[in-house]
Amino acid sequence: MCGGRSVGQSTCRVVARRDTCANSGDPQPFGTYEIRSRADGQVIGGVDFHGPADEEGSVTIGYGLVPSARGKGYASEALRALLLFARTRGVTRVKGDADLGNIASQHVMTAAGMLPAGEDERVRYFEIAWGVEHV
């Protein structure tokens, strides 16, 4: 079932995005998820895996919110849920990045438990890793 899969139980609900399913089939489970307001069910953003885990158990993530939902903790909450979702499915490392000037996005990743892992002239990289024995 694609449209009803949930990965979080807090203020926001993260569910599979129906248009991804319609266009490319159910990503099972490393696809794109909507962030919906628990109060009214409106879509306020999205989080996604950029693909399934690689041979080393690593995935890359992304997220975004509509402007009116920013600064309220929704992205960090959704990212924490996505990290837990990944970990329970055997992922051992999650990577993300944000432009150097995008302090808010960097804060989202650190608030969710990710750590800085380097930077270049444009981007700061973040990651979180778990040992196989802890999964």
Side-chain angles (χ1 to χ4, degrees):
M1 181 165 140
C2 190
R5 191 172 47 227
S6 175
V7 296
Q9 292 299 322
S10 45
T11 305
C12 293
R13 199 165 41 114
V14 183
V15 295
R17 191 159 84 176
R18 289 170 188 84
D19 61 348
T20 298
C21 297
N23 293 332
S24 62
D26 189 349
Q28 293 278 340
F30 297 103
T32 301
Y33 295 83
E34 292 177 338
I35 301 171
R36 289 184 176 260
S37 167
R38 190 171 296 286
D40 61 12
Q42 292 294 309
V43 176
I44 58 172
V47 294
D48 73 334
F49 296 102
H50 294 192
D54 64 20
E55 62 280 347
E56 297 169 356
S58 179
V59 295
T60 302
I61 53 85
Y63 51 86
L65 292 174
V66 298
S68 63
R70 294 177 186 158
K72 299 176 182 173
Y74 299 140
S76 296
E77 183 178 350
L79 182 54
R80 279 191 294 273
L82 195 71
L83 294 174
L84 178 60
F85 184 79
R87 186 175 183 184
T88 62
R89 281 153 182 82
V91 170
T92 58
R93 181 180 312 273
V94 177
K95 301 176 185 179
D97 62 68
D99 290 343
L100 291 177
N102 191 344
I103 303 303
S105 186
Q106 294 174 36
H107 178 73
V108 165
M109 286 185 273
T110 58
M114 298 178 77
L115 300 172
E119 66 181 62
D120 59 28
E121 65 281 347
R122 191 181 67 79
V123 174
R124 182 162 290 137
Y125 301 95
F126 292 81
E127 66 180 42
I128 188 169
W130 308 280
V132 173
E133 66 277 3
H134 298 116
V135 176

